[in-house]
Every structure is written in C-alpha cells, then in structure tokens.
Amino acid sequence: MPHAADAPHDDAPRRILVAGASGAGKSTLARRIAAAAGVPYTEIDALFHGEDWTPRPSFVADVDALTSEPGWVTEWQYDSARELLADRAQLLIFLDYSRSRVMRQVVARTVRRRVRREELWNGNLEPPLTTIFSDPEHIIRWAWNTHGTRGELVAEAARRRPHLEVVRLRHPREAEAWLADTYPFHPES
C-alpha cells in the first residue's frame, strides 16, 4: 500500500486538458492521467456528438458543468468550448507529435474502428473508408489539415492565461516519462 508521501501532492493540478491533433492520443493519455491523478475523466467527443454525428445542443452547458467541478481531465477540442476549458484548467498537456506519427495513428485507429464497427459516441460509427475522398471533414483529412494549427492555439491560450501551465511533449516516450515523473507511485504510470 502506498504511503501518504507517495500520493500526488495536494498542490498538483486537478483540472487538466490534453491538446493535440486528431489521432495524437489525447484520449488515451487523458484517461491515464485521470487514473493517476485520481480525478474523473470525461471524453469530450461523447459530450459533443449526438446521434448521426449531430452536435448536442447541451454541449457547452455540459462543458460548463464539467469544468465547474474541482477536478477533471478532458481533451482540449471544439471552438465553442475551447475558451471555457482553457479558462478553468490548471494544466494543458500538448501532444506536439510529428505529422507522420499522427497520421499513422489516426489512419490505423480509423481503419480499426471501421473494420470492427466499433461504436463511438451515442451510437455513431466511423463512416465508410471511401468517404475520405468525399467528406472534407473526414477525420483523416481533418488530422492532416489541422495538424499544424494546434501549436498556435496552445501558444495563444498560454499567452492569454498566465495561470495555465503548459507541458509540451514531442514524442510518446516524452509522454511516458512525464507521466512516470509526475505520478511515480501510481500503477498506471
């Protein structure tokens, strides 16, 4: 059994965002951080997407309720909620991975989800893979087109919020090291 000294410090951030391009691994890392920090994780995609991929009308109100809690971890996404999330967060982890890494990950994830017909949020499934050619917002195209813009968003958030600590991680090895250093006695790390 861990000693009290092994637990996260009382002053450790408890309101945490994970930013990065689509497919970088935000949700995976966010789940691990939440488990290690002992705070709830909420997948922001589940709050945003309603049936048939329609935005849920209660999305911003749901984000407001989530971020009003004393501790939480979620992804930093969606223009309509990004400011509110950053205003209330203490820590923003930026997965600043290379475009080639992100593209390998998002393609593999998308193909796996489609082939296995994995249910995502509120009954939604990945669309047929051929829609990458017809849908300008297909997740693979989205990841490619927005990859270079995440750093600008993070830098602007940090500039406007001196209270917001930003940790920039450029490779999954750095993410593993950060997690192990930040939560050294947690079994997840």
Side-chain angles (χ1 to χ4, degrees), residues 76 94 99 142 144-155:
W76 193 48
F94 176 30
R99 185 186 303 259
W142 181 262
W144 179 268
N145 292 331
T146 61
H147 179 271
T149 64
R150 307 299 92 175
E152 298 163 18
L153 291 171
V154 170

Side-chain angles (χ1 to χ4, degrees), residues 174-189:
E174 290 184 11
E176 290 299 321
W178 177 85
L179 192 60
D181 288 347
T182 306
Y183 303 102
F185 299 103
H186 192 278
E188 272 294 307
S189 23

